[in-house]
Amino acid sequence: MIELRGIHKSYEMGSNKLHVLKGIDLSIKEGELVSIVGSSGSGKSTLLNILGILDTYDQGEYYLDGKHIKNLNETKAAWYRNQMIGFVFQSFNLISFKNAMENVALPLYYQKVSRKRRNIVALEYLDRMGLKEWAEHTPNELSGGQKQRVAIARSMISKPKVILADEPTGALDSATSMEVMNLFKEINREGITVIIVTHEHDISEQTNKVIHLKDGFIEKIRINTPENILANV
Ligand code: ADP
Ligand code: MG
């Protein structure tokens, strides 16, 4: 599903260069539930943004579902993102003047689905998240957990193969974090690959594979056994 070979990424900072990823090799199979951990500044978001085709890389190779993701123009990149990837962010990234249903429906707008149809589908996804009654509410009327469930519904609506989540529980209390994590596990059980960046041990311990980033390299990859995961729920 995801193949990275020797990925390097630097940021230009005036005359300085910040070398963030220094040769990342990584394979993630379809249907895996993976976390990426590491201290702040270790390059987790940089790596996730490359996986999500939100950013480019300087060196190496990236294959997503067999497609070579390199030197894509913005139209092509947007098309792959829309077809294959759902995003969830720490800060929810909902549009404040649109209601929950319209926020969830947004990816279908880009796919030129009619308003009527996309609102029907958005309601189905909100219902799955237990939020049907909140469809007409704007984000500022929702709790953090509700906002994140709206964002998860939005990430699901275009039936992506991969969901990428950057610190999705970073702004939530621990009980709500567990609810959100349970949703990701449920989504993963349907066969969708889920990759979660987190610095919370409780979260990473519930994923099958934990990728540790340090100083621009993968320091280690740890496999969690089902027994381990159960013990941490
Ligand atoms: P993490 O998500 O693990 O905290 P990031 O991937 O966000 O780390 O950042 C890794 C390093 O790259 C940090 O030192 C950060 O300041 C720097 N960085 C991230 N994005 C940019 C950017 N757009 N321009 C310059 N430096 C950046
Ligand atoms: Mg980050």
Side-chain angles (χ1 to χ4, degrees):
M1 170 93 259
I2 283 174
E3 291 288 333
L4 297 180
R5 295 280 166 261
I7 294 290
H8 285 257
K9 173 73 179 177
S10 297
Y11 292 112
E12 307 281 346
M13 309 270 285
S15 55
N16 290 337
K17 232 176 163 185
L18 184 66
H19 198 172
V20 178
L21 302 178
K22 302 174 181 168
I24 300 288
D25 297 308
L26 182 63
S27 300
I28 296 173
K29 290 197 219 52
E30 188 163 3
E32 283 198 274
L33 173 59
V34 177
S35 56
I36 300 174
V37 304
S39 53
S40 177
S42 60
K44 303 183 296 297
S45 295
T46 300
L47 179 57
L48 205 74
N49 290 345
I50 291 171
L51 292 176
I53 329 179
L54 291 170
D55 204 353
T56 57
Y57 52 95
D58 305 325
Q59 230 187 87
E61 308 298 330
Y62 172 25
Y63 288 88
L64 172 61
D65 200 29
K67 290 164 195 75
H68 197 186
I69 305 298
K70 197 167 201 172
N71 305 326
L72 302 179
N73 62 35
E74 187 42 44
T75 312
K76 198 100 196 255
W79 190 82
Y80 279 136
R81 278 199 299 269
N82 214 289
Q83 292 293 312
M84 292 206 270
I85 304 166
F87 293 96
V88 179
F89 300 95
Q90 174 171 358
S91 49
F92 320 118
N93 290 13
L94 300 175
I95 298 176
S96 58
F97 56 87
K98 291 198 177 291
N99 68 33
M101 177 181 69
E102 292 161 341
N103 268 284
V104 173
L106 196 64
L108 297 186
Y109 166 81
Y110 293 114
Q111 291 180 12
K112 303 197 167 46
V113 176
S114 75
R115 181 192 301 267
K116 187 165 175 228
R117 176 74 197 145
R118 60 180 193 258
N119 285 346
I120 289 171
V121 181
L123 276 179
E124 285 167 17
Y125 277 89
L126 276 177
D127 196 17
R128 275 190 57 184
M129 299 293 146
L131 288 175
K132 202 169 186 175
E133 281 71 45
W134 295 87
E136 309 275 327
H137 290 255
T138 50
N140 66 342
E141 297 166 335
L142 304 176
S143 70
Q146 288 173 326
K147 278 188 266 210
Q148 200 56 304
R149 281 187 280 154
V150 171
I152 292 171
R154 180 186 56 190
S155 77
M156 296 278 294
I157 199 167
S158 47
K159 298 192 186 306
K161 287 177 175 275
V162 188
I163 294 207
L164 303 175
D166 197 347
E167 309 259 13
T169 61
L172 305 177
D173 62 60
S174 52
T176 312
S177 296
M178 286 306 134
E179 282 171 31
V180 163
M181 198 52 207
N182 284 334
L183 280 175
F184 282 123
K185 287 197 271 188
E186 199 180 300
I187 290 165
N188 175 251
R189 277 196 290 272
E190 293 168 21
I192 299 176
T193 310
V194 178
I195 305 176
I196 302 172
V197 163
T198 183
H199 56 252
E200 292 164 74
H201 191 69
D202 293 0
I203 300 294
S204 63
E205 283 312 294
Q206 293 183 56
T207 65
N208 308 121
K209 199 187 233 181
V210 187
I211 296 160
H212 292 255
L213 272 189
K214 193 179 178 188
D215 301 330
F217 295 100
I218 292 180
E219 182 190 24
K220 62 178 174 187
I221 296 180
R222 208 163 45 74
I223 308 293
N224 266 329
T225 62
E227 294 75 30
N228 259 342
I229 293 171
L230 272 180
N232 280 289
V233 170

